[in-house]
Amino acid sequence: AVSLKVFPIILIGFLIVKKEFKALSWFLICTFILFFIPIVITDYELYKFYFTQVLFRANNGEISAAFVDSYQSVFMFLKRLFIYDKIDNPMVFYNGPILFKTLLYIFKIFILSILYFITKNQRNSFLVFSLWLFGSLILSPYQSTYLLILLMLMFLSISKLNISISQKVFCFLMLFIISNSSFLKWLIFPFNYLRLFAVIILFFALLYYQRNFIRYKIMLVILVLSIITIPFLANKKEYFENALHYKTPILTFDYTLKNDTLEYYYWNKNGINKKTLPFERKKIDTTMAYIKNKQIFYKGKPLTFDNSNKLKPIVVDKSIFFLSDNNRGVGFYNLCKLPIQNEHSIK
């Protein structure tokens, strides 16, 4: 599970805080053995590709598409609020990528700090372990329905908590909503995040029941120190966008420009498909733009700075067309367009 999903790795933090170094050693040894066996059976390059290209992007929510409400994560909810996209997310509350990163960063620090203090002061190890698993689900950028089976530990922990019957009933009600909210797919944003709301409410209810174990002054200092590091979260802004007025299919793998048409090719259950669109242009150049170290260069200057894979850059009039899997998961390409902002300054 640690090899395939990022969120279980947080349990290493649980063992370190509890000073269970013997258990940590066995955990690491067994993980290494279970990881080594498939490498012997399969190809090493498969795992190299997974760890160098897939794992970290998956941990950043780049699984299949840029905006997927079924992930039901804080990451995706904040992205819906603060990341503008002309096609996928035009109705944002405020277009603020830095604000998105800031709130997500502070939220993660807050959750980890809470878990640390409860672990240090709460003697009920089963409850603490359940909270770490629950917290890892909250921190994960995506959640799948089968992961909800981990809430069984939370159910058992709540059933043994020294709280009133009404408080237990409230917690069990939240667990019921979390486990069954996937049936409410017809709701619109933000009401389609009912499961996430129930997760957050339950987590804070459990924190309230454990409030005597939390050191609020120290947490405030941690949050303030975290805020100081926010300016370092900024990165270069990307200016490329969808080349078409809609997304190309998720398994798009090639495109061509010929005569006055644009053709793109994609996979689906019927095999390879081709879509032809009318496309007027004055000039095409296939030599001026090229890819180096995953970035598009034009006249020797880099024009992109993201970590996505890119294919087939072509200069079309005053823009560069190319395929990119930015925000869509490795290999899930979309046809993009990058305007050449100031061609005279690029020499």
Side-chain angles (χ1 to χ4, degrees):
V2 171
S3 298
L4 294 177
K5 295 287 186 181
V6 178
F7 76 87
I9 205 75
I10 196 176
L11 296 179
I12 293 178
F14 164 76
L15 295 174
I16 292 175
V17 176
K18 294 291 288 184
K19 297 182 179 180
E20 294 286 350
F21 299 113
K22 183 178 180 180
L24 177 61
S25 300
W26 277 109
F27 170 77
L28 295 175
I29 291 171
C30 292
T31 300
F32 175 78
I33 293 173
L34 292 172
F35 175 70
F36 181 74
I37 293 173
I39 292 181
V40 175
I41 298 173
T42 60
D43 190 352
Y44 163 75
E45 291 297 324
L46 174 67
Y47 288 86
K48 179 182 177 182
F49 173 77
Y50 176 75
F51 279 101
T52 57
Q53 297 196 43
V54 177
L55 181 62
F56 294 104
R57 290 185 58 180
N59 191 40
N60 197 37
E62 298 180 29
I63 310 299
S64 59
F67 297 89
V68 185
D69 292 326
S70 62
Y71 289 172
Q72 292 291 298
S73 64
V74 173
F75 172 88
M76 195 57 64
F77 181 75
L78 292 176
K79 198 173 182 181
R80 280 288 189 192
L81 287 176
F82 302 115
I83 301 295
Y84 171 80
D85 186 273
K86 180 172 65 175
I87 295 176
D88 289 323
N89 198 37
M91 303 295 290
V92 294
F93 175 75
Y94 171 75
N95 184 23
I98 299 301
L99 180 60
F100 160 73
K101 288 187 176 182
T102 299
L103 293 177
L104 185 64
Y105 180 63
I106 293 176
F107 179 78
K108 289 181 177 181
I109 295 296
F110 173 79
I111 296 296
L112 291 174
S113 301
I114 288 287
L115 292 175
Y116 171 80
F117 287 117
I118 292 180
T119 306
K120 291 288 289 185
N121 300 293
Q122 171 61 269
R123 295 183 179 181
N124 186 341
S125 294
F126 184 69
L127 171 62
V128 174
F129 181 78
S130 302
L131 283 173
W132 275 82
L133 269 182
F134 195 33
S136 68
L137 290 176
I138 296 175
L139 293 176
S140 177
Y142 63 98
Q143 298 178 20
S144 51
T145 306
Y146 65 86
L147 289 179
L148 297 180
I149 196 171
L150 296 176
L151 296 179
M152 181 61 71
L153 295 179
M154 198 73 261
F155 172 82
L156 296 174
S157 296
I158 294 171
S159 65
K160 295 185 178 182
L161 270 180
N162 186 23
I163 56 178
S164 67
I165 296 297
S166 60
Q167 290 172 329
K168 288 185 178 181
V169 170
F170 174 78
C171 291
F172 291 151
L173 176 62
M174 290 299 104
L175 284 175
F176 179 82
I177 294 174
I178 294 169
S179 302
N180 295 278
S181 60
S182 59
F183 293 103
L184 304 176
K185 295 181 179 180
W186 62 85
L187 297 177
I188 61 174
F189 184 83
F191 304 104
N192 56 345
Y193 278 80
L194 177 63
R195 188 172 86 194
L196 174 63
F197 298 153
V199 166
I200 298 298
I201 291 172
L202 176 58
F203 187 77
F204 277 91
L206 294 172
L207 294 186
Y208 176 76
Y209 304 148
Q210 305 295 310
R211 60 189 180 277
N212 294 330
F213 299 107
I214 302 172
R215 302 295 180 262
Y216 297 99
K217 292 182 180 179
I218 299 178
M219 274 203 61
L220 180 61
V221 172
I222 293 174
L223 290 176
V224 170
L225 292 175
S226 301
I227 293 173
I228 294 175
T229 64
I230 287 173
F232 299 99
L233 298 177
N235 57 6
K236 291 181 178 292
K237 183 179 179 180
E238 300 300 336
Y239 294 99
F240 61 83
E241 57 187 17
N242 289 330
L244 306 176
H245 296 297
Y246 58 89
K247 293 185 296 183
T248 53
I250 196 169
L251 293 180
T252 299
F253 64 91
D254 193 12
Y255 75 101
T256 60
L257 293 168
K258 54 185 179 181
N259 300 327
D260 288 328
T261 62
L262 182 151
E263 296 178 350
Y264 62 85
Y265 304 85
Y266 60 96
W267 287 90
N268 64 13
K269 61 182 180 180
N270 299 318
I272 296 178
N273 298 265
K274 180 178 71 173
K275 179 75 171 180
T276 302
L277 301 171
F279 185 79
E280 295 183 3
R281 81 272 189 252
K282 297 179 181 178
K283 181 177 64 174
I284 292 179
D285 192 312
T286 59
T287 61
M288 294 297 293
Y290 60 93
I291 296 175
K292 179 181 178 182
N293 297 327
K294 288 189 175 183
Q295 307 306 330
I296 292 180
F297 282 70
Y298 176 71
K299 293 185 178 181
K301 299 290 185 179
L303 298 185
T304 60
F305 304 92
D306 66 304
N307 192 39
S308 68
N309 295 298
K310 303 172 185 67
L311 296 173
K312 204 172 182 178
I314 298 177
V315 179
V316 182
D317 296 333
K318 293 185 179 181
S319 298
I320 299 176
F321 281 55
F322 61 99
L323 293 170
S324 171
D325 62 4
N326 185 49
N327 285 327
R328 300 188 74 181
V330 177
F332 297 125
Y333 290 100
N334 187 29
L335 184 58
C336 299
K337 178 176 66 174
L338 173 64
I340 302 175
Q341 300 289 340
N342 190 358
E343 187 172 354
H344 297 291
S345 66
I346 303 175
K347 298 181 180 178

